[in-house]
Amino acid sequence: MTFKTEKIISLPKILDKRGNLSFFENDKQIPFKIKRTYLINNVPGGEERGGHAFKKSQEFIIALSGSFDVVLSDGEKEIIYSLNRSYQGLYVPNMLWRRLENFSTNSLVLITSSIAYDDNDYIRDFIDFKTLRNEEK
Ligand code: TYD
């Protein structure tokens, strides 16, 4: 099952006896222009990050090291994506609720976003999110 709008994207992987290389570019491997990149690390066992939706921001989320789950919700059902490869990421469109959980020790999250940081883009209340989703229909 998927929400149809999100997707796992496999990045190119250039294998080399000196080590592997992967990359992504605006509008090529990922379907938006990157305006911002941020990292999450040092997450204590049992902690969660996220727990909100974005009105406009689209994101691409990679487990650069370790593993964690990205839980997406459309307001009705949840889908869990487990990320644990540095050459694979999850594209998350705007207007899906998302939280990150189940972090392994030493996990390192890389997130690229289609917009600059804007607190007004956050929907932090799940009921508000459901209301806005229903208005979109
Ligand atoms: P937030 O996105 O709320 O983290 P989480 O959803 O994982 O709980 O961000 C936490 C804090 O970091 C918040 O005070 C805003 C700040 N922040 C920035 O200044 N720039 C950014 O790009 C991000 C993602 C967060």
Side-chain angles (χ1 to χ4, degrees):
M1 186 182 76
T2 70
F3 293 124
K4 295 199 170 65
T5 45
E6 83 285 10
K7 63 180 168 191
I8 291 283
I9 296 174
S10 291
L11 300 174
K13 191 158 72 160
I14 315 290
L15 302 179
D16 191 306
K17 58 180 186 303
R18 297 168 300 156
N20 302 340
L21 183 151
S22 292
F23 56 88
F24 50 98
E25 292 185 28
N26 287 339
D27 293 326
K28 290 189 181 166
Q29 290 76 22
I30 56 170
F32 60 83
K33 284 193 171 46
I34 299 164
K35 283 278 179 62
R36 177 169 49 114
T37 303
Y38 60 99
L39 308 172
I40 300 172
N41 64 357
N42 244 339
V43 180
E47 263 317 330
E48 289 182 2
R49 300 294 315 221
H52 48 68
F54 295 111
K55 293 175 204 159
K56 292 202 193 112
S57 174
Q58 305 167 62
E59 292 190 326
F60 181 57
I61 306 176
I62 306 182
L64 282 187
S65 92
S67 63
F68 54 88
D69 293 340
V70 183
V71 185
L72 299 182
S73 171
D74 63 353
E76 307 296 331
K77 49 192 185 312
E78 285 192 343
I79 302 178
I80 301 178
Y81 288 90
S82 296
L83 299 183
N84 58 8
R85 307 220 191 285
S86 57
Y87 55 87
Q88 245 174 24
L90 179 65
Y91 166 69
V92 182
N94 59 323
M95 289 306 287
L96 276 184
W97 191 267
R98 65 119 172 107
R99 70 173 186 274
L100 278 53
E101 63 184 31
N102 201 17
F103 289 88
S104 69
T105 312
N106 290 333
S107 50
L108 173 58
V109 187
L110 180 78
I111 305 185
T112 60
S113 165
S114 61
I115 66 167
Y117 178 74
D118 179 4
D119 194 52
N120 291 319
D121 194 49
Y122 283 69
I123 308 167
R124 296 190 185 275
D125 184 278
F126 192 65
I127 305 294
D128 289 349
F129 167 67
K130 283 179 81 157
T131 307
L132 284 167
R133 285 264 325 183
N134 286 330
E135 282 171 6
E136 276 191 346
K137 281 182 192 158

